[in-house]
Short mmCIF file of all heavy atoms in Angstrom, two decimals:
data_model
loop_
_atom_site.label_atom_id
_atom_site.label_comp_id
_atom_site.label_asym_id
_atom_site.label_seq_id
_atom_site.Cartn_x
_atom_site.Cartn_y
_atom_site.Cartn_z
N ALA A 27 228.06 229.50 111.97
CA ALA A 27 229.37 229.95 111.93
C ALA A 27 229.88 230.39 110.51
O ALA A 27 229.43 229.66 109.55
CB ALA A 27 230.31 228.90 112.52
N LYS A 28 230.65 231.41 110.46
CA LYS A 28 231.15 231.85 109.13
C LYS A 28 232.38 231.10 108.78
O LYS A 28 233.10 230.52 109.61
CB LYS A 28 231.54 233.32 109.24
CG LYS A 28 230.36 234.21 109.61
CD LYS A 28 229.21 234.23 108.55
CE LYS A 28 228.08 235.18 108.99
NZ LYS A 28 226.98 235.21 108.03
N PRO A 29 232.72 231.00 107.54
CA PRO A 29 233.91 230.23 107.04
C PRO A 29 235.20 230.66 107.80
O PRO A 29 235.97 229.79 108.22
CB PRO A 29 234.07 230.65 105.57
CG PRO A 29 232.65 230.83 105.15
CD PRO A 29 231.95 231.60 106.37
N TYR A 30 235.45 231.98 107.98
CA TYR A 30 236.62 232.40 108.67
C TYR A 30 236.63 232.00 110.12
O TYR A 30 237.70 231.73 110.70
CB TYR A 30 236.84 233.91 108.51
CG TYR A 30 235.94 234.76 109.32
CD1 TYR A 30 236.14 235.18 110.61
CD2 TYR A 30 234.72 235.28 108.72
CE1 TYR A 30 235.26 235.93 111.35
CE2 TYR A 30 233.84 235.94 109.38
CZ TYR A 30 234.04 236.36 110.73
OH TYR A 30 233.19 237.13 111.47
N GLN A 31 235.42 231.95 110.71
CA GLN A 31 235.34 231.41 112.12
C GLN A 31 235.67 229.90 112.21
O GLN A 31 236.23 229.60 113.20
CB GLN A 31 233.91 231.71 112.64
CG GLN A 31 233.60 233.20 112.82
CD GLN A 31 232.12 233.46 113.17
OE1 GLN A 31 231.23 232.71 112.72
NE2 GLN A 31 231.89 234.50 113.91
N LEU A 32 235.30 229.23 111.20
CA LEU A 32 235.62 227.79 111.29
C LEU A 32 237.18 227.59 111.21
O LEU A 32 237.67 226.65 111.86
CB LEU A 32 234.93 227.10 110.03
CG LEU A 32 233.46 227.06 109.96
CD1 LEU A 32 233.05 226.38 108.70
CD2 LEU A 32 232.94 226.33 111.24
N ILE A 33 237.75 228.45 110.44
CA ILE A 33 239.29 228.27 110.36
C ILE A 33 239.94 228.55 111.71
O ILE A 33 240.78 227.71 112.17
CB ILE A 33 239.80 229.30 109.37
CG1 ILE A 33 239.38 228.90 107.87
CG2 ILE A 33 241.36 229.41 109.35
CD1 ILE A 33 239.86 229.82 106.82
N PHE A 34 239.52 229.60 112.41
CA PHE A 34 240.14 230.00 113.70
C PHE A 34 239.71 229.13 114.85
O PHE A 34 240.46 228.84 115.77
CB PHE A 34 239.92 231.47 113.94
CG PHE A 34 240.73 232.38 113.07
CD1 PHE A 34 240.04 233.09 112.05
CD2 PHE A 34 242.07 232.58 113.24
CE1 PHE A 34 240.77 233.93 111.26
CE2 PHE A 34 242.77 233.35 112.43
CZ PHE A 34 242.10 234.05 111.39
N LEU A 35 238.47 228.64 114.79
CA LEU A 35 237.91 227.88 115.82
C LEU A 35 238.12 226.43 115.77
O LEU A 35 238.19 225.70 116.74
CB LEU A 35 236.42 228.17 116.09
CG LEU A 35 236.03 229.54 116.43
CD1 LEU A 35 234.53 229.82 116.50
CD2 LEU A 35 236.61 230.00 117.75
N HIS A 36 238.28 225.93 114.59
CA HIS A 36 238.31 224.43 114.35
C HIS A 36 239.58 224.02 113.67
O HIS A 36 240.29 223.14 114.12
CB HIS A 36 237.00 223.95 113.57
CG HIS A 36 235.80 224.07 114.38
ND1 HIS A 36 235.46 223.25 115.39
CD2 HIS A 36 234.76 225.01 114.42
CE1 HIS A 36 234.28 223.49 115.88
NE2 HIS A 36 233.90 224.67 115.33
N TYR A 37 239.79 224.56 112.36
CA TYR A 37 240.83 224.05 111.60
C TYR A 37 242.22 224.27 112.15
O TYR A 37 243.05 223.39 112.25
CB TYR A 37 240.69 224.59 110.15
CG TYR A 37 239.52 224.04 109.37
CD1 TYR A 37 238.44 224.83 109.14
CD2 TYR A 37 239.61 222.72 108.87
CE1 TYR A 37 237.30 224.36 108.45
CE2 TYR A 37 238.57 222.22 108.23
CZ TYR A 37 237.41 222.99 107.94
OH TYR A 37 236.36 222.44 107.27
N LEU A 38 242.52 225.53 112.54
CA LEU A 38 243.84 225.87 112.97
C LEU A 38 244.19 225.13 114.32
O LEU A 38 245.30 224.55 114.39
CB LEU A 38 243.98 227.37 113.20
CG LEU A 38 244.21 228.18 111.92
CD1 LEU A 38 244.26 229.68 112.20
CD2 LEU A 38 245.38 227.74 111.12
N PRO A 39 243.28 225.08 115.24
CA PRO A 39 243.64 224.30 116.49
C PRO A 39 243.84 222.79 116.19
O PRO A 39 244.75 222.16 116.79
CB PRO A 39 242.40 224.50 117.41
CG PRO A 39 241.86 225.82 116.96
CD PRO A 39 242.05 225.81 115.50
N ALA A 40 242.98 222.18 115.31
CA ALA A 40 243.19 220.83 115.02
C ALA A 40 244.39 220.55 114.15
O ALA A 40 244.91 219.41 114.25
CB ALA A 40 241.90 220.34 114.20
N LEU A 41 244.94 221.52 113.45
CA LEU A 41 246.08 221.36 112.57
C LEU A 41 247.36 221.66 113.32
O LEU A 41 248.42 221.61 112.69
CB LEU A 41 245.98 222.21 111.31
CG LEU A 41 244.94 221.84 110.29
CD1 LEU A 41 244.75 222.82 109.23
CD2 LEU A 41 245.26 220.48 109.68
N ARG A 42 247.26 222.06 114.56
CA ARG A 42 248.51 222.56 115.24
C ARG A 42 249.67 221.46 115.31
O ARG A 42 250.76 221.73 114.95
CB ARG A 42 248.16 222.96 116.74
CG ARG A 42 249.38 223.50 117.55
CD ARG A 42 248.90 223.91 118.93
NE ARG A 42 248.31 222.74 119.57
CZ ARG A 42 247.78 222.81 120.81
NH1 ARG A 42 247.68 223.98 121.44
NH2 ARG A 42 247.21 221.76 121.39
N ASP A 43 249.21 220.21 115.65
CA ASP A 43 250.17 219.12 115.75
C ASP A 43 250.71 218.73 114.32
O ASP A 43 251.85 218.47 114.19
CB ASP A 43 249.56 217.91 116.43
CG ASP A 43 249.31 218.15 117.90
OD1 ASP A 43 249.93 219.05 118.44
OD2 ASP A 43 248.44 217.43 118.41
N MET A 44 249.80 218.90 113.38
CA MET A 44 250.20 218.65 112.00
C MET A 44 251.25 219.60 111.45
O MET A 44 252.21 219.33 110.81
CB MET A 44 249.01 218.60 111.03
CG MET A 44 249.33 218.28 109.55
SD MET A 44 250.10 216.67 109.37
CE MET A 44 248.70 215.63 109.73
N PHE A 45 251.09 220.95 111.88
CA PHE A 45 251.97 221.91 111.46
C PHE A 45 253.37 221.62 112.09
O PHE A 45 254.44 221.75 111.45
CB PHE A 45 251.58 223.30 111.99
CG PHE A 45 250.41 223.88 111.18
CD1 PHE A 45 249.42 224.59 111.82
CD2 PHE A 45 250.30 223.72 109.86
CE1 PHE A 45 248.41 225.14 111.14
CE2 PHE A 45 249.24 224.25 109.08
CZ PHE A 45 248.31 224.93 109.76
N GLY A 46 253.44 221.23 113.39
CA GLY A 46 254.66 220.83 113.99
C GLY A 46 255.29 219.65 113.38
O GLY A 46 256.57 219.71 113.11
N PHE A 47 254.55 218.71 113.01
CA PHE A 47 255.14 217.48 112.36
C PHE A 47 255.70 217.84 111.00
O PHE A 47 256.83 217.42 110.61
CB PHE A 47 254.02 216.44 112.17
CG PHE A 47 254.42 215.28 111.34
CD1 PHE A 47 255.28 214.29 111.74
CD2 PHE A 47 253.99 215.19 109.95
CE1 PHE A 47 255.66 213.30 110.97
CE2 PHE A 47 254.32 214.12 109.16
CZ PHE A 47 255.21 213.17 109.65
N LEU A 48 254.94 218.60 110.15
CA LEU A 48 255.41 218.97 108.85
C LEU A 48 256.70 219.86 108.95
O LEU A 48 257.64 219.74 108.14
CB LEU A 48 254.35 219.71 108.04
CG LEU A 48 253.15 218.92 107.63
CD1 LEU A 48 252.12 219.84 107.02
CD2 LEU A 48 253.54 217.88 106.63
N PHE A 49 256.72 220.72 109.97
CA PHE A 49 257.88 221.62 110.12
C PHE A 49 259.18 220.77 110.45
O PHE A 49 260.19 220.88 109.70
CB PHE A 49 257.65 222.57 111.24
CG PHE A 49 258.78 223.48 111.44
CD1 PHE A 49 259.24 224.50 110.64
CD2 PHE A 49 259.59 223.29 112.59
CE1 PHE A 49 260.29 225.35 110.80
CE2 PHE A 49 260.73 224.14 112.92
CZ PHE A 49 261.03 225.10 112.03
N PHE A 50 259.13 219.98 111.46
CA PHE A 50 260.31 219.15 111.90
C PHE A 50 260.65 218.13 110.89
O PHE A 50 261.76 217.80 110.66
CB PHE A 50 260.14 218.64 113.33
CG PHE A 50 260.20 219.73 114.34
CD1 PHE A 50 259.08 220.01 115.09
CD2 PHE A 50 261.35 220.41 114.68
CE1 PHE A 50 259.13 221.03 116.02
CE2 PHE A 50 261.44 221.38 115.55
CZ PHE A 50 260.29 221.71 116.31
N SER A 51 259.61 217.43 110.31
CA SER A 51 259.92 216.36 109.42
C SER A 51 260.50 216.83 108.09
O SER A 51 261.25 216.09 107.44
CB SER A 51 258.66 215.55 109.12
OG SER A 51 257.71 216.34 108.45
N GLY A 52 260.22 218.13 107.73
CA GLY A 52 260.75 218.69 106.47
C GLY A 52 262.13 219.26 106.63
O GLY A 52 262.83 219.49 105.62
N LEU A 53 262.56 219.71 107.83
CA LEU A 53 263.77 220.41 107.99
C LEU A 53 265.09 219.61 107.53
O LEU A 53 265.93 220.17 106.80
CB LEU A 53 263.96 220.72 109.47
CG LEU A 53 263.22 221.99 109.94
CD1 LEU A 53 263.44 222.30 111.40
CD2 LEU A 53 263.58 223.27 109.15
N PRO A 54 265.14 218.30 107.86
CA PRO A 54 266.34 217.56 107.38
C PRO A 54 266.45 217.58 105.84
O PRO A 54 267.52 217.70 105.24
CB PRO A 54 266.14 216.12 107.91
CG PRO A 54 265.28 216.35 109.13
CD PRO A 54 264.35 217.48 108.78
N GLY A 55 265.30 217.39 105.17
CA GLY A 55 265.30 217.46 103.68
C GLY A 55 265.70 218.76 103.17
O GLY A 55 266.41 218.84 102.12
N VAL A 56 265.26 219.82 103.79
CA VAL A 56 265.64 221.18 103.30
C VAL A 56 267.16 221.38 103.59
O VAL A 56 267.79 222.09 102.74
CB VAL A 56 264.84 222.26 104.06
CG1 VAL A 56 265.22 223.69 103.56
CG2 VAL A 56 263.35 222.03 103.74
N VAL A 57 267.64 220.89 104.63
CA VAL A 57 269.11 221.02 104.93
C VAL A 57 269.90 220.32 103.77
O VAL A 57 270.88 220.89 103.21
CB VAL A 57 269.49 220.34 106.29
CG1 VAL A 57 271.01 220.27 106.43
CG2 VAL A 57 268.96 221.23 107.36
N MET A 58 269.53 219.13 103.43
CA MET A 58 270.23 218.44 102.33
C MET A 58 270.09 219.15 101.01
O MET A 58 270.93 219.23 100.23
CB MET A 58 269.68 217.00 102.24
CG MET A 58 270.01 216.13 103.46
SD MET A 58 271.73 216.02 103.87
CE MET A 58 272.36 215.20 102.35
N THR A 59 268.85 219.66 100.73
CA THR A 59 268.63 220.40 99.46
C THR A 59 269.49 221.64 99.40
O THR A 59 270.15 221.93 98.43
CB THR A 59 267.16 220.85 99.35
OG1 THR A 59 266.38 219.70 99.33
CG2 THR A 59 267.01 221.58 98.10
N THR A 60 269.60 222.29 100.57
CA THR A 60 270.44 223.54 100.66
C THR A 60 271.89 223.23 100.46
O THR A 60 272.67 223.87 99.70
CB THR A 60 270.26 224.27 101.99
OG1 THR A 60 268.86 224.56 102.18
CG2 THR A 60 271.01 225.48 102.05
N ALA A 61 272.34 222.16 101.12
CA ALA A 61 273.77 221.72 100.93
C ALA A 61 273.99 221.34 99.46
O ALA A 61 275.14 221.69 98.92
CB ALA A 61 274.08 220.53 101.76
N LEU A 62 273.18 220.67 98.81
CA LEU A 62 273.22 220.33 97.39
C LEU A 62 273.30 221.56 96.48
O LEU A 62 274.17 221.67 95.58
CB LEU A 62 272.16 219.40 96.94
CG LEU A 62 272.28 218.79 95.52
CD1 LEU A 62 273.58 218.10 95.35
CD2 LEU A 62 271.09 217.84 95.26
N PHE A 63 272.45 222.49 96.80
CA PHE A 63 272.47 223.76 96.03
C PHE A 63 273.84 224.43 96.16
O PHE A 63 274.46 224.84 95.17
CB PHE A 63 271.41 224.67 96.55
CG PHE A 63 270.01 224.38 96.06
CD1 PHE A 63 268.93 225.01 96.62
CD2 PHE A 63 269.85 223.50 95.04
CE1 PHE A 63 267.64 224.62 96.27
CE2 PHE A 63 268.48 223.08 94.68
CZ PHE A 63 267.42 223.79 95.18
N SER A 64 274.28 224.50 97.33
CA SER A 64 275.60 225.12 97.65
C SER A 64 276.73 224.39 96.99
O SER A 64 277.65 224.99 96.40
CB SER A 64 275.82 225.18 99.20
OG SER A 64 277.11 225.80 99.51
N TYR A 65 276.69 223.02 96.92
CA TYR A 65 277.70 222.25 96.26
C TYR A 65 277.69 222.51 94.76
O TYR A 65 278.78 222.51 94.20
CB TYR A 65 277.42 220.75 96.53
CG TYR A 65 278.49 219.83 95.96
CD1 TYR A 65 279.58 219.44 96.75
CD2 TYR A 65 278.32 219.35 94.64
CE1 TYR A 65 280.53 218.63 96.17
CE2 TYR A 65 279.31 218.47 94.11
CZ TYR A 65 280.38 218.11 94.95
OH TYR A 65 281.31 217.30 94.37
N LEU A 66 276.53 222.77 94.24
CA LEU A 66 276.42 223.10 92.81
C LEU A 66 276.83 224.48 92.42
O LEU A 66 276.79 224.91 91.30
CB LEU A 66 275.08 222.79 92.29
CG LEU A 66 274.61 221.31 92.30
CD1 LEU A 66 273.21 221.16 91.96
CD2 LEU A 66 275.54 220.46 91.44
N GLY A 67 277.14 225.29 93.47
CA GLY A 67 277.59 226.72 93.21
C GLY A 67 276.52 227.76 93.43
O GLY A 67 276.72 228.95 93.10
N ILE A 68 275.29 227.36 93.93
CA ILE A 68 274.25 228.33 94.10
C ILE A 68 274.45 229.02 95.43
O ILE A 68 274.74 228.30 96.41
CB ILE A 68 272.92 227.55 94.05
CG1 ILE A 68 272.68 226.98 92.68
CG2 ILE A 68 271.75 228.55 94.38
CD1 ILE A 68 271.48 226.06 92.53
#
């Protein structure tokens, strides 16, 4: 198997749940960061 094949056949499917976890777990922090930026006038 070639390196790019490993990414599509193994890494991306195995990382699917991790992507979902990182996305949802990071959203609240980004909301607070955005609110703080806005408070500071950005």
Side-chain angles (χ1 to χ4, degrees):
K28 304 295 183 181
Y30 70 89
Q31 293 174 324
L32 295 178
I33 291 178
F34 289 104
L35 296 177
H36 293 281
Y37 288 106
L38 286 178
L41 289 171
R42 183 181 57 185
D43 292 339
M44 180 61 69
F45 288 144
F47 170 77
L48 289 174
F49 176 74
F50 287 112
S51 64
L53 283 178
V56 180
V57 170
M58 295 302 297
T59 300
T60 303
L62 183 56
F63 284 166
S64 179
Y65 184 87
L66 295 174
I68 298 171

